[in-house]
Amino acid sequence: MAAKAGAAASFIFMLFLLNIACQAQLSPAFYDSSCPNALSAIRTAIRSAIAGDRRMAASLIRLHFHDCFVQGCDASILLDETSSIQSEKTALGNLNSARGYNVIEKAKTEVEKICPGVVSCADIIAVAARDASSYVGGPSYAVKLGRRDSTTASRTLANAELPAFFESLESLISRFQKKGLTARDMVALSGSHTLGQAQCFTFRERIYNDSNIDAGFASTRRRRCPRVGSDATLAPLDLVTPNSFDNNYFKNLMRNKGLLQSDQVLFNGGSTDSIVSEYSRNPARFKSDFGSAMIKMGDIGLLTGSAGQIRRTCSVVN
Ligand code: HEM
């Protein structure tokens, strides 16, 4: 009995050491010797995509978020449907909404030309999100590297784990907490709604039925988002400067001009009001917290060491 317990204890200890060893492999210098030009190749591909379509910066940041929240940051979001893979691309939060798959595939193709089979799609998504942020005026930060790609995806998990625009503050906080992120991280990350667009169906309820909304703002948004129809018509998440990464998003919230219900709940008399007001006064603090929170988000549920694989094409397993 004692011998069994001892064996179990040493097995658990081995797992613990293995875990530390895997964690230790994530480092900004991971490809320094195996593919020294990987980061510049990715940056070139990302910059050229955003130069041609400014909104792509927003889409790439969101893609990293939607990857990390489902099975961890393992590029599962990029896998296409097959007989054995349930693609996440058709999950509620992604269908006709997530963008940038081809941009990541293009960056991957460029990287494969210089070092085949070395750089994971999961790392490319993480680097692309950082490059997107810095290109449009957001923070740059050192992305830790060494993630590996999954051989599976899960639409079921994507439907269950991606937050929805109608959720309460408590529910959102608890979702982020389950991923190891604090309410402060969540507010900072939501600040990326300083960029990009949302479809009419995601804010219709808010502009017709909510009371915590600026009347002028609601009536402007109603013009292009009728009670019925035009579901996919877009409106900027930050009404002032949707193409640059600044702290206007937080200033909007303080004037009841958040577009989504899940935006306005961050400033609606609850526990995160003080964080929103801090970021509205202190853009430098917002940017530095955003960078730290992105690094933290990039650590969710990693495959490292010999787990998973380095996909040759991001949309299919090898
Ligand atoms: C707090 C929970 C969140 C909810 C409920 C939420 C919900 C949404 C919704 C409904 C849209 C519009 C999608 C569409 O209409 O097609 C959107 C867009 C966006 N979200 Fe979030 N989001 C959340 C957090 C985040 C986080 C943590 C990030 C990044 C780290 C993020 C980044 C973005 C960006 C950049 C866009 C614009 C995308 C584009 O224009 O392509 N969001 N979000």
Side-chain angles (χ1 to χ4, degrees):
M1 195 65 183
K4 259 191 183 168
S10 38
F11 180 65
I12 290 170
F13 185 63
M14 292 283 288
L15 285 181
F16 175 71
L17 288 182
L18 196 70
N19 188 33
I20 290 180
C22 288
Q23 300 264 333
Q25 287 172 8
L26 268 202
S27 147
F30 191 81
Y31 298 114
D32 280 6
S33 54
S34 59
C35 191
N37 294 325
L39 296 189
S40 63
I42 299 170
R43 189 171 57 236
T44 304
I46 299 310
R47 286 187 172 187
S48 108
I50 301 173
D53 169 13
R54 188 92 176 163
R55 182 184 172 200
M56 191 47 71
S59 307
L60 291 171
I61 293 172
R62 185 171 187 236
L63 199 64
H64 184 39
F65 164 48
H66 282 204
D67 181 33
C68 293
F69 264 53
V70 183
Q71 294 191 171
C73 313
D74 60 358
S76 57
I77 193 169
L78 301 180
L79 289 173
D80 283 337
E81 185 89 10
T82 66
S83 54
S84 57
I85 286 175
Q86 271 197 347
S87 179
E88 294 167 19
K89 294 181 179 178
T90 49
L92 292 172
N94 293 331
L95 184 64
N96 299 323
S97 178
R99 305 170 73 238
Y101 303 115
N102 293 343
V103 173
I104 300 295
E105 202 67 83
K106 177 87 197 337
K108 171 69 170 174
T109 307
E110 295 306 315
V111 173
E112 285 296 292
K113 281 184 200 159
I114 51 175
C115 353
V118 173
V119 181
S120 69
C121 299
D123 278 345
I124 293 176
I125 303 178
V127 171
R130 187 272 315 274
D131 291 347
S133 162
S134 83
Y135 191 78
V136 296
S140 191
Y141 47 89
V143 179
K144 289 194 280 169
L145 300 166
R147 298 170 190 79
R148 290 171 63 86
D149 300 326
S150 70
T151 51
T152 58
S154 174
R155 180 164 49 248
T156 312
L157 262 187
N159 282 332
E161 309 235 322
L162 293 174
F165 52 84
F166 46 75
E167 280 180 57
S168 69
L169 180 61
E170 291 66 34
S171 160
L172 294 172
I173 290 176
S174 118
R175 275 188 189 284
F176 279 70
Q177 236 156 25
K178 280 186 201 140
K179 305 287 178 191
L181 298 168
T182 63
R184 190 175 176 90
D185 294 328
M186 181 180 85
V187 175
L189 291 170
S190 298
S192 60
H193 287 184
T194 177
L195 301 169
Q197 309 275 328
Q199 302 174 63
C200 165
F201 79 90
T202 68
F203 57 86
R204 177 178 283 125
E205 180 70 18
R206 169 145 175 79
I207 59 176
Y208 287 100
N209 295 327
D210 280 6
S211 52
N212 61 347
I213 187 166
D214 176 88
F217 172 62
S219 101
T220 308
R221 286 289 163 264
R222 283 183 202 143
R223 272 184 229 142
R224 290 175 47 95
C225 181
R227 282 182 195 274
V228 178
S230 305
D231 280 9
T233 300
L234 297 171
L237 282 154
D238 169 358
L239 77 157
V240 192
T241 49
N243 284 325
S244 52
F245 195 108
D246 54 29
N247 68 338
N248 278 326
Y249 168 78
F250 298 106
K251 296 183 183 168
N252 297 335
L253 294 186
M254 295 184 72
R255 296 175 189 130
N256 280 343
K257 293 179 182 177
L259 185 63
L260 306 177
Q261 288 175 333
S262 54
D263 291 324
Q264 198 60 56
V265 294
L266 302 180
F267 190 87
N268 194 35
S271 59
T272 49
D273 280 18
S274 57
I275 310 169
V276 169
S277 110
E278 182 186 346
Y279 290 155
S280 81
R281 279 179 276 114
N282 192 340
R285 191 64 204 263
F286 160 52
K287 287 188 187 179
S288 97
D289 282 4
F290 177 79
S292 311
M294 286 291 276
I295 293 171
K296 233 170 131 179
M297 187 175 83
D299 272 342
I300 299 174
L302 301 180
L303 296 173
T304 52
S306 58
Q309 59 178 212
I310 304 296
R311 279 184 226 141
R312 281 189 289 273
T313 301
C314 291
S315 56
V316 289
V317 299
N318 294 341

